[in-house]
Amino acid sequence: MKNILLLLVLLIFIIACVGPEEPLDGLYKNTPVVVNTNEAFTLSLRAENYSTEENYNLTFPNQNPIKFTMVLIVTDFAARTSDTSFIDIFNSSDSLLNKYILNNNINVAPIENLEANAIPQKIFFKADDFSGFVQLVLAVGDK
């Protein structure tokens, strides 16, 4: 009888356990989500005091010219204003195309036609004790 009671209590305890609550935006803190295809690159991150240095090689086609769309959104920025977090975008010859310093809320969304030497091929992301939400989307399409 004692074993049955103990087994019943354990069974109730195991059934009552649940996992952690799912985040509303689908992102866990300090876990970047990266999607890198021939047509698009996406980096999404909900950060809290997050530090990292990451390189991402892009696989965009080198056709000439190409229609290029970029969206960079930084919201909920809560790090110190002297934060040195940034995103650098390079072309195939490692020339810097754009540098975006992540020290406040940002919303950038240019659409342009690019020549082959201006097509992004590498991204360097450095976060230095960064807190906030970052979403970077690069996409290419036919002209």
Side-chain angles (χ1 to χ4, degrees):
M1 181 70 179
K2 199 176 202 181
N3 288 338
I4 294 174
L5 184 59
L6 180 62
L7 184 61
L8 185 60
V9 170
L10 284 174
L11 185 60
I12 291 172
F13 179 73
I14 290 172
I15 292 173
C17 292
V18 295
E21 183 180 337
E22 291 290 323
L24 295 176
D25 58 10
L27 297 174
Y28 290 100
K29 285 182 187 169
N30 300 337
T31 304
V33 175
V34 176
V35 176
N36 191 1
T37 68
N38 290 340
E39 293 84 25
F41 172 85
T42 302
L43 167 69
S44 298
L45 172 66
R46 174 149 317 274
E48 186 174 307
N49 302 323
Y50 182 70
S51 296
T52 190
E53 290 186 14
E54 298 289 335
N55 281 302
Y56 301 102
N57 293 315
L58 307 177
T59 58
F60 294 149
N62 286 328
Q63 64 194 34
N64 192 18
I66 196 167
K67 187 170 185 175
F68 176 73
T69 303
M70 186 196 82
V71 176
L72 173 62
I73 299 171
V74 177
T75 58
D76 301 332
F77 181 79
R80 58 191 189 278
T81 55
S82 62
D83 190 350
T84 58
S85 300
F86 61 89
I87 295 174
D88 285 344
I89 301 175
F90 297 92
N91 67 4
S92 59
S93 59
D94 284 337
S95 296
L96 182 65
L97 296 173
N98 296 89
K99 181 179 195 94
Y100 297 99
I101 298 173
L102 309 179
N103 62 359
N104 58 14
N105 291 335
I106 301 171
N107 188 349
V108 178
I111 299 172
E112 53 193 326
N113 292 320
L114 298 180
E115 299 299 319
N117 63 347
I119 297 172
Q121 294 297 318
K122 188 179 353 175
I123 294 176
F124 177 70
F125 172 54
K126 180 184 179 204
D128 180 24
D129 201 27
F130 179 79
S131 292
F133 174 74
V134 176
Q135 179 144 26
L136 174 66
V137 177
L138 306 175
V140 296
D142 297 333
K143 183 173 179 198

